[in-house]
Structures are given as structure tokens and as C-alpha cells.
Amino acid sequence: MPLTYPRMGVSFEQRFPRPSVMGVVNVTPDSFADGGINLDPDKAVVTARRMVEEGAAIVDIGGESTRPGASAVGVDEELRRVAPVLEQLERVPVSIDTSKAEVARRALELGAELVNDVTALRGDPALAEVVAESGAYLCLMHMQGEPRTMQTDPRYDDVVSEVAAFLEERLAFAVEAGIDEERVCLDPGIGFGKTVEHNFELIRRLDELVALGRPILIGISRKSSLGKLLGNPEATTGSVAASVGAAVAAYERGATILRVHDVREHVEALTAAQAALA
Ligand code: HH2
């Protein structure tokens, strides 16, 4: 029987105190950092359990890569990838990284407690109702364009105010659809239609997103901006050390939850940062 999570009454802030770590497990052949490594369901389960032992508050299971240039995956294939993993993770706190209502519904039945939607409820018109009815936690993320083309020529007049306005509008949409505002977190979507400069400006001015009043999730772990920052213009990934540095900075600027591939390193660094900053 799936573990029943306290779906009513517990706010996002109570469930995920600052700083919390979300471990990334991609059950995909093509994800930019861990593609293929966790495609075998048994391997994905071992990785997810290890991440929780290392201190992750939740593990984000994804069956579709959204890396720049990735092509979309159908519902059946996405379910075929993630369902066998979720079935074996009954006692593990799980988030489902999907934009599809049908995938989210099945994942919630299998015990997932959070829906992580990189389209911020713009991808599948049926998803808002699934989240509202289940009482699940929800992450709304900003993306300019769509994964296939988003890194071609991202442009903003002011990236931070545009991302803030977008997240505010999507939060209002979610609340209008019956989703409890207290259960929602917001994410500027590092690397989703953004240059290196855009990404770091979003972290530098994170206080302007914190001012929206909801917890902020940051996913910069191993992203190419970190490799580019360190001098390789062709980088498709970044190092663990650079990821940890950026995560600690984001935490210091107000982020609540850090979405990462290397859980132990981030938990250790954030524990020390918290002690130093408290
Ligand atoms: N980044 C990725 C996927 N999902 N969700 C949120 N909320 N925030 C993010 O920054 C974010 C996300 C991309 O990273 P990853 O899952 O490692 O790669 P891929 O999309 O190639 O599977």
C-alpha cells in the first residue's frame, strides 16, 4: 500500500524547510547529466533510496528529458519509464517531473506527493485539475520557448521582472484552478530559455522572486552555464563543485529547495552554510 502523505494542511514551507534538497533521478536515455544511468528501473530505485539516505527531502523522478534540443516523449513511453520505478518507491518521498496529467495522476496514485511541471500548467490543460483534486504539492517553473529551441536566442528586456511577472500570473492561474497556494513553490527555470548571464542575474536578484511570497526552487545542478562560466563555451554540463557553489549562493539569496544530482555534496555544503548564516 502506498504511503499516505499528509495531503491536507501542511504548507510547502512546513514540509520543505530552508534549505531542503531535491534529488534528481531521470529514467531517460538522453538527460544531459544522468542520461542512461538510471534508465533501468532497478538502478533508478537504488539511486533514489541512496539519495534519501544522503539527506534528500524528496526525489524527483522524470521520464522525459527537457534538456536543450530534447524531443518530446509520448504519455505511454513516459509512463512505461516511470511507473515501475514509482511502484518500488513506496516508502520514499517522491516528486514527479512531468507536464502530463495522465502521468501525474498515475504517479500520485503510486504515492508521489509533488508535481514538478516545467511548463507551469501550460502544457496539458488537464493537469491543474489533477493537482487540485489530489492536494499534491506543485512546482511552477518559468521557461521561455520550448526545449527543442529555447536556447537558440533567448532575449529579455529585464529577465528578473519578466520571470517574476510570469510566475505571479501562473500562481494566480493555479489558485483559480483550485490549487491551494500554500502548497505551491516557484522556480525561475535556470537554463530554460536563458543565457549564462540571465541565469546568474536570476540568482543574484533572487530576492525579487522571494518577494512573490512563495518558496523558491533552484535547479542549476551540473547545468551547462556552470561549464561555460568556467571557460568552455561549448560545455553541455558543469562540475559538481561549481554546482555546489551556485546552490549555496542561491540558498543565501533566499532559495528554499535545491534540485540537485549530487545529494551528499549539496547536503553537506548547505548544512555548513546554514550554520554559518543562521
Ligand atoms: N531542470 C531540469 C528538469 N526539470 N524542474 C525544475 N523545477 N527546475 C529545473 O531547473 C529543472 C526541472 C533539467 O535537468 P535534468 O532533469 O537533470 O535534465 P533533463 O531535462 O535532460 O532530464
Side-chain angles (χ1 to χ4, degrees), residues 103-122:
V103 175
R105 187 181 294 114
R106 183 75 190 119
L108 293 165
E109 281 167 9
L110 289 169
E113 59 175 322
L114 189 155
V115 175
N116 174 23
D117 178 15
V118 297
T119 74
L121 301 178
R122 296 175 300 161

Side-chain angles (χ1 to χ4, degrees), residues 8-141:
M8 304 303 287
V10 181
S11 69
F12 196 96
E13 293 90 322
Q14 288 168 312
R15 171 64 183 86
F16 299 101
R18 275 188 79 231
S20 285
V21 165
M22 170 185 272
V24 181
V25 179
N26 287 308
V27 193
T28 59
D30 56 343
S31 289
F32 79 94
D34 63 344
I37 293 173
N38 293 306
L39 187 56
D40 173 349
D42 293 340
K43 287 200 178 132
V45 169
V46 169
T47 303
R49 290 189 191 285
R50 192 197 67 230
M51 287 178 168
V52 171
E53 274 164 26
E54 291 175 348
I58 195 160
V59 181
D60 194 33
I61 309 288
E64 176 179 27
S65 172
T66 46
R67 75 178 199 290
S71 37
V73 167
V75 175
D76 291 348
E77 176 60 15
E78 198 175 322
L79 271 174
R80 198 187 61 73
R81 291 177 185 176
V82 297
V85 178
L86 295 168
E87 278 161 12
Q88 293 181 67
L89 289 177
E90 278 180 12
R91 304 268 150 199
V92 176
V94 161
S95 148
I96 180 73
D97 187 352
T98 191
S99 310
K100 300 185 183 74
E102 215 172 305
V103 175
R105 187 181 294 114
R106 183 75 190 119
L108 293 165
E109 281 167 9
L110 289 169
E113 59 175 322
L114 189 155
V115 175
N116 174 23
D117 178 15
V118 297
T119 74
L121 301 178
R122 296 175 300 161
D124 183 337
L127 183 56
E129 195 180 329
V130 170
V131 176
E133 279 178 0
S134 67
Y137 295 107
L138 174 67
C139 180
L140 296 170
M141 196 197 80

Side-chain angles (χ1 to χ4, degrees), residues 152-209:
T152 309
D153 185 21
R155 278 167 197 254
Y156 301 84
D157 288 329
D158 176 6
V159 66
V160 181
S161 53
E162 286 172 51
V163 167
F166 171 89
L167 292 175
E168 195 169 25
E169 188 274 319
R170 295 321 292 165
L171 178 62
F173 175 89
V175 171
E176 184 66 24
I179 294 166
D180 182 357
E181 179 168 353
E182 294 277 291
R183 302 187 65 88
V184 180
C185 78
L186 305 175
D187 179 349
I190 300 297
F192 285 84
K194 290 159 192 105
T195 62
V196 177
E197 291 71 27
H198 293 143
N199 290 324
F200 284 101
E201 185 165 2
L202 281 161
I203 294 178
R204 195 160 47 244
R205 292 169 55 196
L206 204 60
D207 57 318
E208 294 174 46
L209 303 182

